[in-house]
């Protein structure tokens, strides 16, 4: 894909995430997608998103900056939501969190085959601090 196509692809991916549409997100993941420091595979990725959306039903991301080159995307995002359900085993705190996130994706065709980025430490800190 050309860089402008990667930008459009990422907009569609983020829109599916913001709609919490895991069916569409699954279509954008390679079944064996590798994630740095996390379990591999589309099912593990979707389980993590489902857990996030359960804990933060209003969770949304906003793109701050996006860089696309060859088969790679680097995204600086702002994620936010209110913790009204259990997340990562933590009972609801009703706290609103707003965090900076970074995602680095490698695509093959129109599917994510590898990903790395910031973890959930900043979310945890805002819920427990």
């Amino acid at each position: 894909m050309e860089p402008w196509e990667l930008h459009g692809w990422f907009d569609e991916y983020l829109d599916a995430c913001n709609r919490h549409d895991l069916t569409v997100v699954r279509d954008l993941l390679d079944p064996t997608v590798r994630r740095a420091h996390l379990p591999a595979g589309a099912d593990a990725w979707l389980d993590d998103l489902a857990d996030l959306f359960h804990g933060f039903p209003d969770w949304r991301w906003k793109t701050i900056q996006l860089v696309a080159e060859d088969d790679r995307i680097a995204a600086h995002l702002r994620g936010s939501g209110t913790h009204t359900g259990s997340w990562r085993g933590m009972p609801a705190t009703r706290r609103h969190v707003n965090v900076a996130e970074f995602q680095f994706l490698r695509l093959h065709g129109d599917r994510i085959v590898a990903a790395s980025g910031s973890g959930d430490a900043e979310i945890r800190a805002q819920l427990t601090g």
Side-chain angles (χ1 to χ4, degrees), residues 18-19 25-26 31 34 42 49-50 85 95 103 105 112 126:
N18 282 337
R19 287 183 287 113
V25 173
R26 179 181 291 280
R34 292 184 324 262
L49 281 178
R95 291 185 180 179
Q103 265 191 0
L105 307 174
I112 301 169
Q126 288 187 29

Side-chain angles (χ1 to χ4, degrees), residues 11 28 37 41 79 85 89 91 105 109:
D11 289 344
L28 300 172
H37 313 293
L105 307 174

Side-chain angles (χ1 to χ4, degrees), residues 66-117:
L66 189 71
V67 177
E69 185 177 302
D70 299 325
D71 62 349
R72 297 174 196 273
I73 295 172
H76 174 201
L77 306 168
R78 175 68 54 188
S80 65
T82 306
H83 185 215
T84 59
S86 175
W87 172 74
R88 302 272 195 260
M90 184 183 301
T93 62
R94 306 219 40 89
R95 291 185 180 179
H96 184 79
V97 300
N98 188 335
V99 298
E101 295 186 34
F102 297 91
Q103 265 191 0
F104 302 93
L105 307 174
R106 188 168 58 83
L107 279 67
H108 181 74
D110 62 352
R111 292 184 175 226
I112 301 169
V113 295
S116 63

